[in-house]
Amino acid sequence: MTSVVDTKVAIRTYKAALKEKGADASAVERKAVVNGVSKAVKSECAPYVEDFFGCFQHRFALNSCTDATVGKMLKCQEQFSAQLLDSQ
């Protein structure tokens, strides 16, 4: 499993490869960043995703299923991925 630290290293490696080789030649590094960020966001936002899919399975008929359920999941994913990608 890829850790957040590994993902930050992959991001720095990608940025360096992007400067050195250009966008076309840094596909391997880009793939590592995408995989790392997706796994980190998945694990960090898991509680919100579980809540969302619980609502989804019940077709949003539960009392706890509101727009806030979806909003919390999206906010977590957006903020965490932005935090990772902004790291130097």
Side-chain angles (χ1 to χ4, degrees), residues 16-34:
L18 193 60
K19 286 181 184 178
E20 184 180 315
K21 301 186 236 176
D24 295 337
S26 53
V28 173
E29 292 86 356
R30 182 175 53 240
K31 183 177 179 181
V33 169
V34 170

Side-chain angles (χ1 to χ4, degrees), residues 18-64:
L18 193 60
K19 286 181 184 178
E20 184 180 315
K21 301 186 236 176
D24 295 337
S26 53
V28 173
E29 292 86 356
R30 182 175 53 240
K31 183 177 179 181
V33 169
V34 170
N35 287 335
V37 169
S38 67
K39 288 179 182 179
V41 169
K42 179 181 177 183
S43 65
E44 183 70 21
C45 299
Y48 300 112
V49 174
E50 287 177 17
D51 289 347
F52 170 77
F53 279 109
C55 290
F56 182 77
Q57 288 175 342
H58 291 95
R59 298 188 178 179
F60 293 89
L62 302 175
N63 289 335
S64 62

